[in-house]
Amino acid sequence: MSPRPDTATPRRPGVARPLLTTLAPVDPAARPVVAVHPGALPATAWQPVAARLPEDHALHLCDLGNVPEYFAAALVPTLSVIGVQELAHRCLGELTAAGLTDRPFTLAGWSFGGVVAYEIAARLDAQGLGDRVEDLVVLDSIAPVPAFQRPDELLRPDMLLTWFAMYLGAKRGRRLTLEPTALDGLGEEEGLAVLLTAAVEQGVLQEGTEPAGLRKLYTAFHTGLVRNNRCTAGYLPAPLDRTVTVVKPERSLLPDSPDLGWSGLSGRPLRQLAVPGDHYTMLHEPETADALAALLATGSRTG
């Protein structure tokens, strides 16, 4: 049998998993760091960051992949999606029940998780508890502003294929390098052919990997992206009177956007941090994990 690219182990939608988890046993008095994780990579992708936090800090994850409706919508594109506001409502309910909103904490979100984290902060502001969020950190998250909102049919295939190349490299543990214009203007089939050739040449995929196998992995990846796009459709929040910290990797989802649109949602000057890696490796590359742990531990106390 010809080798095929790895795909994630299927998870049965009916199996309930907790929305809120802590990566390791911690002292209940530890200072909370809360991160919203949107799936795509396993929640253990945060482990390098968690391991680098000071001993008096604890990393708690809101894993959106454990919200049944959110997970199911990535499997069946015709299902109704659960929106940003409902996801934030559920996360905030879990955080409140766990007592994590009783004291100051740092709130972060990676990718689409950054949008949900923003809505959590907005809800705490509306409740008069905005001071509990010492820092709001978004990790290569695209802001929910009109300039970046597109219907599904207008999502450019070459852009999505570029993101998929980063994802494939992260899944296989080996960076997939393409010429900057290699995918420009290509449709899905042409682009996947280019990716397959490059992935085999660079050892990301085995010789003889079938195009159908790569197409299957891309279809699952694409369905998840479309799910997130539908979740944010129509979500146009007002700016918050707080500083937003934007962390952008060297190979960002939107390399040509300096702040990923967040200046339009922050009533104060942004704080920005550039880190090595790409969108999918930024959590576990050692240098980046060091920088993220330092940022999340200091929170707004860095000024």
Side-chain angles (χ1 to χ4, degrees):
M1 180 180 293
S2 299
R4 297 175 182 271
D6 290 342
T7 57
T9 302
R11 190 199 315 169
R12 291 174 294 169
V15 178
R17 299 189 182 189
L19 171 56
L20 180 64
T21 60
T22 304
L23 289 189
V26 294
D27 182 340
R31 181 178 181 273
V33 176
V34 174
V36 183
H37 182 69
L41 298 177
T44 52
W46 287 87
Q47 192 61 55
V49 176
R52 288 166 167 79
L53 288 172
E55 291 184 359
D56 61 346
H57 286 62
L59 181 60
H60 306 269
L61 289 184
C62 287
D63 188 350
L64 301 183
N66 291 340
V67 176
E69 302 97 319
Y70 179 80
F71 176 74
L75 301 178
V76 184
T78 56
L79 290 178
S80 298
V81 295
I82 181 171
V84 171
Q85 291 161 315
E86 177 61 21
L87 288 168
H89 170 72
R90 296 195 192 185
C91 289
L92 185 53
E94 293 286 331
L95 296 173
T96 301
L100 295 176
T101 59
D102 293 343
R103 49 203 163 119
F105 65 98
T106 294
L107 177 60
W110 170 63
S111 194
F112 172 68
V115 178
V116 177
Y118 183 88
E119 176 61 20
I120 292 172
R123 287 170 177 257
L124 286 169
D125 277 3
Q127 296 173 18
L129 299 174
D131 60 344
R132 302 292 168 82
V133 178
E134 286 195 330
D135 198 13
L136 175 59
V137 181
V138 294
L139 310 179
D140 207 31
S141 304
I142 299 173
V145 294
F148 294 137
Q149 292 203 347
R150 299 283 188 278
D152 297 345
E153 61 271 16
L154 293 184
L155 295 174
R156 294 190 351 255
D158 55 351
M159 178 182 72
L160 301 186
L161 287 163
T162 299
W163 297 356
F164 177 64
M166 292 190 285
Y167 170 77
L168 182 61
K171 291 285 286 185
R172 299 290 294 182
R174 185 189 296 261
R175 181 181 173 185
L176 177 55
T177 303
L178 299 171
E179 292 296 327
T181 60
L183 298 172
D184 285 2
L186 297 185
E188 286 186 359
E189 296 308 321
E190 295 171 301
L192 285 172
V194 170
L195 284 181
L196 180 57
T197 298
V200 171
E201 288 177 349
Q202 297 174 36
V204 176
L205 296 176
Q206 297 180 46
E207 187 76 34
T209 296
E210 298 176 358
L214 186 62
R215 155 57 72 179
K216 182 178 180 181
L217 184 57
Y218 177 73
T219 297
F221 172 82
H222 181 271
T223 303
L225 287 180
V226 169
R227 182 265 320 272
N228 291 349
N229 194 52
R230 292 164 61 206
C231 285
T232 57
Y235 175 65
L236 295 170
L240 295 180
D241 184 23
R242 66 161 58 248
T243 297
V244 177
T245 300
V246 180
V247 181
K248 190 175 179 184
E250 179 185 0
R251 295 177 297 283
S252 167
L253 290 182
L254 297 179
D256 296 329
S257 174
D259 62 17
L260 303 174
W262 289 102
S263 58
L265 290 177
S266 176
R268 303 179 188 179
L270 296 178
R271 287 195 299 163
Q272 295 184 259
L273 176 66
V275 295
D278 65 36
H279 182 75
Y280 293 99
T281 64
M282 64 184 299
L283 294 177
H284 61 76
E285 289 202 6
E287 184 178 347
T288 303
D290 286 341
L292 292 178
L295 173 67
L296 297 175
T298 54
S300 61
R301 288 172 291 179
T302 59

